[in-house]
Amino acid sequence: MEEHNGTFLKACEEGQLSQVEKSIIFADVNVVEKVDGNSGLMIASRDAHREVVNFLLDNAEVDVNLSNKFGYTALMLAAQNGNMDILEMLLEIDDVDLDIVNKAGRKAEECARKKNKAAIQERIASTRVKRKSRKNKGIGKNNAAKRQRDMEENGVGNLNKVSKKNENEEIVVLKESVSPQKVLKDLEMINDNHDATNEDATDDDATKATEKKVMSAAYTLEEDVRSPQGTLRSVTPTIKDILTARLENCLIDLGTPKENVILSREMLSMSKKLNLEDLQSICRKILIENLSRETVFDLLEVFDEDTDMKNICLNFLVANIDEMRLIPEWKPMMRKHPSIAIELIDRL
């Protein structure tokens, strides 16, 4: 099963519909990957694989409201990445909950980045109005009951032995009584505390000191939540989870690769100080996504000690060497970083 699950998730990430169709027969359709806790639907929605998303939404066993370790659902990931086509498909499913809140206290429309935020907010608001005006809950054309009937009519109702969800289940909701101003103030306090930490202290000691300091900031979390199975469970996030989710939402699209790199670089620096491993991973991903001729030297400085990321940047330079030699920064950067010049010579 584990091998099939891995194949299924990989196919969802790469948008390979044929492989998804084959692997789903033996895989758990709601399996999540180990890094961020994303399901196949969440991955495909994030990466805008339309055909895969459409196929998964036709499967009644797929939980359209699963959330990852940061509380993000497929709808939130589609909104965050500006995938309007995917967003439209998800909003057509009546079972997609519009009111789930992630660990940063945001709904799907609040996860959208600047460029598409207005359009996404308008589309979700319109869906809310339409749903509210419906007298019969089951009239949605793609609700779970209809999807299940369609599957049974096509003889594929028993592909996955996943228990069905109760229609009256409550969705995980995490509410926070924390203002943005308070979060910023507490982050400043954490940074001050980190700088004052004894250099001889171990990593564990530093982490405990930081968490203890943050706990004193009196974050209040309402824990009146229920699991998808309708039973009470503990979903109290760690301080690291809260900070990671809050800070991730600050990583908005500023419009240009250069500006995005500046923001992500500063956030990466802060995440290292706070020992937020997940946020570091997110920042590195965004930085590489903004790799261009204008940003490659900035990224080489950021990833000076990160061998894998540095190699990606160096390979980019090699592939674009003719164009790179024409930019004004080329000679100054070669003089500033002779080690990079040597590595380029070895690769050319």
Side-chain angles (χ1 to χ4, degrees):
M1 172 68 81
E2 186 174 350
E3 181 180 350
H4 294 301
N5 286 342
T7 302
F8 169 68
L9 290 172
K10 183 175 178 61
C12 289
E13 183 177 11
E14 296 178 351
Q16 298 179 355
L17 179 59
S18 60
Q19 190 62 41
V20 171
E21 292 173 334
K22 294 176 183 177
S23 60
I24 200 173
I25 298 174
F26 306 102
D28 176 358
V29 294
N30 294 311
V31 65
V32 298
E33 44 91 3
K34 297 179 181 179
V35 179
D36 294 327
N38 290 321
S39 67
L41 176 62
M42 295 160 70
I43 293 170
S45 298
R46 178 196 67 196
D47 296 342
H49 296 311
R50 182 182 175 86
E51 292 183 341
V52 173
V53 171
N54 187 57
F55 173 75
L56 293 176
L57 290 178
D58 282 338
N59 188 321
E61 303 295 351
V62 172
D63 188 343
V64 294
N65 293 312
L66 272 181
S67 57
N68 65 17
K69 65 194 297 184
F70 304 114
Y72 280 75
T73 63
L75 184 66
M76 292 178 188
L77 291 170
Q80 185 183 53
N81 290 280
N83 300 331
M84 293 298 295
D85 288 348
I86 305 299
L87 188 84
E88 292 284 351
M89 294 168 66
L90 290 165
L91 291 177
E92 287 294 320
I93 307 296
D94 280 3
D95 298 322
V96 171
D97 195 324
L98 308 182
D99 296 314
I100 296 179
V101 181
N102 64 21
K103 290 185 178 180
R106 299 191 178 195
K107 295 181 181 179
E109 59 264 42
E110 298 166 324
C111 295
R113 290 175 179 166
K114 184 177 180 181
K115 185 169 63 173
N116 300 298
K117 192 163 190 174
I120 289 173
Q121 288 180 335
E122 181 180 352
R123 183 65 184 87
I124 294 179
S126 174
T127 301
R128 288 181 189 281
V129 172
K130 288 180 180 178
R131 289 186 181 184
K132 191 174 182 180
S133 67
R134 291 172 181 167
K135 295 181 180 180
N136 300 316
K137 295 182 179 179
I139 71 172
K141 65 179 181 180
N142 282 327
N143 58 30
K146 183 178 184 302
R147 287 190 286 150
Q148 181 64 41
R149 287 196 301 272
D150 291 342
M151 288 179 64
E152 290 173 352
E153 289 173 2
N154 291 314
V156 292
N158 296 315
L159 287 181
N160 298 283
K161 305 298 182 181
V162 181
S163 60
K164 298 178 183 177
K165 299 177 289 298
N166 188 300
E167 292 180 358
N168 297 319
E169 292 167 2
E170 296 182 50
I171 304 300
V172 174
V173 176
L174 178 62
K175 301 177 182 177
E176 299 182 45
S177 57
V178 188
S179 68
Q181 292 80 6
K182 186 176 188 336
V183 173
L184 291 174
K185 182 178 179 181
D186 292 337
L187 286 176
E188 291 177 2
M189 176 188 67
I190 295 169
N191 274 319
D192 292 341
N193 178 70
H194 182 276
D195 293 337
T197 303
N198 190 317
E199 293 181 359
D200 294 330
T202 65
D203 290 341
D204 288 340
D205 291 339
T207 300
K208 290 178 181 178
T210 300
E211 292 185 348
K212 183 177 179 181
K213 198 77 172 178
V214 177
M215 285 299 290
S216 67
Y219 284 93
T220 58
L221 302 176
E222 298 178 19
E223 299 179 49
D224 183 16
V225 296
R226 290 186 180 274
S227 72
Q229 287 70 38
T231 55
L232 284 172
R233 70 174 182 178
S234 173
V235 294
T236 304
T238 65
I239 295 302
K240 283 187 176 183
D241 288 337
I242 295 174
L243 289 176
T244 297
R246 283 284 184 185
L247 292 174
E248 182 189 1
N249 281 325
C250 295
L251 291 168
I252 60 174
D253 186 348
L254 296 178
T256 68
K258 191 78 171 179
E259 292 174 319
N260 290 337
V261 165
I262 292 173
L263 174 61
S264 301
R265 181 178 60 196
E266 293 303 315
M267 193 66 75
L268 178 61
S269 176
M270 180 180 291
S271 66
K272 289 179 178 178
K273 285 186 177 181
L274 300 177
N275 196 26
L276 302 176
E277 296 89 351
D278 291 331
L279 185 59
Q280 291 176 42
S281 177
I282 293 168
C283 289
R284 283 195 291 269
K285 179 181 177 182
I286 294 176
L287 286 167
I288 285 299
E289 287 176 350
N290 285 277
L291 175 61
S292 68
R293 289 195 292 269
E294 292 74 26
T295 64
V296 62
F297 288 119
D298 295 322
L299 296 184
L300 280 168
E301 291 182 351
V302 172
F303 297 132
D304 184 51
E305 297 180 0
D306 190 326
T307 303
D308 292 336
M309 294 299 183
K310 185 177 181 180
N311 280 332
I312 292 175
C313 295
L314 289 171
N315 290 336
F316 177 87
L317 278 178
V318 171
N320 297 273
I321 191 68
D322 293 333
E323 293 87 351
M324 292 302 303
R325 284 173 174 168
L326 300 177
I327 67 173
E329 296 90 347
W330 177 258
K331 289 183 178 179
M333 288 304 298
M334 292 298 99
R335 286 194 292 267
K336 182 178 180 181
H337 299 286
S339 60
I340 293 177
I342 294 172
E343 289 195 54
L344 285 176
I345 293 171
D346 291 339
R347 291 168 185 253
L348 290 172

